[in-house]
Amino acid sequence: MKITDAFQKAPILATTTKTVANASFDQSAWLNGLKPADKELLDTEITHIHDSWLPHLHKEISKPQFLNLKKFLASREAAGVNIFPPKKDIYSWTSLTPFDKVKVIIIGQDPYHGKNQAHGLAFSVNPPTLPPPSLKNMYKCLKNDYPDFDVPAKSGLLTPWAEQGVLMLNTVLTVEEKKANAHKDKGWEAVTFTALSAAVKHNSGCVILAWGSPAAKIADKMNIDKSKHLVLKAVHPSPLSAHRGFLTCGHFKQANEWLEKRYGPEGIIKWGLEGKTVGSKGTKEATTDTVKEELAKESIKESVETVKEPTEQSSVKPTSAKSTAPPSSQEKLDQLLLSVPDVDDDELDDILPPPKKQKV
């Protein structure tokens, strides 16, 4: 595959997953079986979950746990709390990436909690919002994989990826304004885990990108058949951890190489954004150096010296003296994931000191 092939206009999606028979799910019967009060609580789900996903989610969203979540959300809304994303966008991932079109899964955490940011896709933001720190690092990783990738300077909208089959799903689907993780452990996790598990179970082969220890733990819990699917793990793209291996992990290119082998050239993801096809020229080595230089300038807590890729000794905890065999590559990665703090963009403000005031 040529480098520029990954940035051409995407063709009409070829179905890469098994066609899931929906004959066993009778939507009318399900709706008629709901109590009037429950049907009112589930209005957003009934209206906005795509028909291709509803057969796999209707049981979970009918459970008391989820109905209690909806009551909680209604009470917070009644109290005047701003909840993001807007109701119409909470399930945008189901319509932008129909169930039988999933090729790549990116596991996210919590929606952005600022106005006009979250719109239902993990890591993606509505225009004119600028790309958040983690997304900037994703762009750098892409630039390292594909030197011709044209980095969007002002756009963080990732709908072109979703429309090609990249499922960008947060494990929690709502948040309160300026309050990161406000809806964590309220009931969303069961629904999103059901969605992820179903997407993998009924898929003939996809790539799962698990960045950070929470995402890695979810991927492990899913018991993914690795003879059918490719699982790629790395530290989170947050500025506090990206320099520990994310920027040069190569996941975007590895995903396309795997998809091309399995489905042919039509199976790859066109990673280009804003309608751009090619970017600046350069070798991969030069791009890698540029990535590290940029990170050295922008890294929030790390000095220039720490930007360099960690050595095996510094990034991996030593094994026990009783161990008879050296740790495998997967064990080393798991140790690294546990040793690096997972901090999403919305949590940075709570950790970092306020910027110093400039002297007048």
Side-chain angles (χ1 to χ4, degrees):
M1 180 182 67
K2 297 179 181 179
I3 288 177
T4 53
D5 287 346
F7 308 102
Q8 305 304 319
K9 186 176 180 181
I12 297 175
L13 265 179
T15 301
T16 59
T17 60
K18 296 178 181 178
T19 301
V20 181
N22 294 336
S24 60
F25 174 63
D26 187 332
Q27 184 171 346
S28 297
W30 173 66
L31 290 173
N32 291 333
L34 293 174
K35 298 177 182 178
D38 293 346
K39 187 180 294 186
E40 183 177 353
L41 284 172
L42 295 175
D43 179 68
T44 300
E45 287 67 33
I46 294 169
T47 304
H48 295 293
I49 292 181
H50 192 269
D51 289 346
S52 65
W53 283 92
L54 195 57
H56 308 281
L57 299 178
H58 74 282
K59 290 182 180 179
E60 193 63 45
I61 64 176
S62 302
K63 292 180 179 179
Q65 180 185 11
F66 186 76
L67 295 174
N68 287 336
L69 166 64
K70 295 308 301 274
K71 292 176 183 177
F72 165 76
L73 294 175
S75 68
R76 298 300 290 159
E77 188 176 22
V81 175
N82 287 329
I83 296 176
F84 302 131
K87 290 180 180 179
K88 66 180 180 63
D89 291 333
I90 293 175
Y91 297 102
S92 66
W93 51 275
T94 66
S95 56
L96 289 168
T97 311
F99 187 82
D100 64 343
K101 301 297 183 183
V102 176
K103 294 181 178 181
V104 177
I105 296 174
I106 299 178
I107 304 174
Q109 298 179 29
D110 198 47
Y112 296 115
H113 58 57
K115 290 183 178 179
N116 198 45
Q117 292 183 331
H119 65 102
L121 302 181
F123 295 105
S124 181
V125 289
N126 269 323
T129 305
L130 297 177
S134 289
L135 183 53
K136 285 183 178 180
N137 283 333
M138 289 165 62
Y139 288 166
K140 292 176 185 178
C141 181
L142 256 170
K143 186 71 173 178
N144 187 56
D145 282 0
Y146 296 104
D148 280 356
F149 174 66
D150 201 344
V151 177
K154 298 182 179 180
S155 175
L157 187 65
L158 304 181
T159 51
W161 295 358
E163 290 168 347
Q164 296 178 74
V166 181
L167 177 64
M168 292 166 276
L169 184 59
N170 283 317
T171 53
V172 176
L173 298 185
T174 58
V175 71
E176 295 178 10
E177 184 175 8
K178 298 181 180 180
K179 193 175 180 182
N181 294 312
H183 296 169
K184 183 180 179 181
D185 298 326
K186 298 295 185 181
W188 281 122
E189 290 86 351
V191 176
T192 53
F193 185 79
T194 297
L196 290 168
S197 298
V200 170
K201 179 180 179 181
H202 297 284
N203 195 302
S204 58
C206 66
V207 180
I208 297 92
L209 303 181
W211 300 330
S213 56
K217 289 176 182 177
I218 290 171
D220 291 341
K221 186 179 177 182
M222 289 165 63
N223 294 319
I224 298 168
D225 183 353
K226 294 181 181 178
S227 67
K228 290 174 54 181
H229 310 290
L230 176 65
V231 180
L232 298 174
K233 296 179 181 179
V235 295
H236 195 275
S238 162
L240 299 186
S241 56
H243 66 281
R244 298 291 298 275
F246 177 81
L247 296 175
T248 53
C249 68
H251 284 185
F252 294 100
K253 189 172 184 179
Q254 288 180 59
N256 264 352
E257 289 174 344
W258 189 90
L259 289 170
E260 184 174 22
K261 286 181 180 179
R262 194 169 187 89
Y263 301 112
E266 71 280 0
I268 68 170
I269 302 298
K270 316 297 182 181
W271 296 114
L273 295 168
E274 295 184 316
K276 297 178 181 178
T277 55
V278 293
S280 58
K281 303 294 182 180
T283 64
K284 182 172 182 178
E285 289 74 20
T287 304
T288 301
D289 291 340
T290 300
V291 166
K292 292 181 180 179
E293 289 174 6
E294 290 177 356
L295 184 60
K297 295 176 182 178
E298 299 176 9
S299 178
I300 298 177
K301 294 194 71 176
E302 302 293 336
S303 63
V304 175
E305 289 76 15
T306 62
V307 174
K308 297 179 180 179
E309 290 302 313
T311 63
E312 188 172 292
Q313 291 180 338
S314 64
S315 63
V316 181
K317 296 179 180 179
T319 56
S320 171
K322 296 180 180 180
S323 177
T324 57
S328 65
S329 298
Q330 183 60 53
E331 289 172 336
K332 291 179 181 179
L333 177 57
D334 290 341
Q335 290 174 352
L336 176 59
L337 289 173
L338 291 174
S339 69
V340 177
D342 264 307
V343 181
D344 221 339
D345 293 325
D346 288 334
E347 299 175 87
L348 291 175
D349 293 338
D350 299 329
I351 295 176
L352 302 177
K356 295 181 179 179
K357 295 182 179 180
Q358 295 182 349
K359 295 182 179 180
V360 180

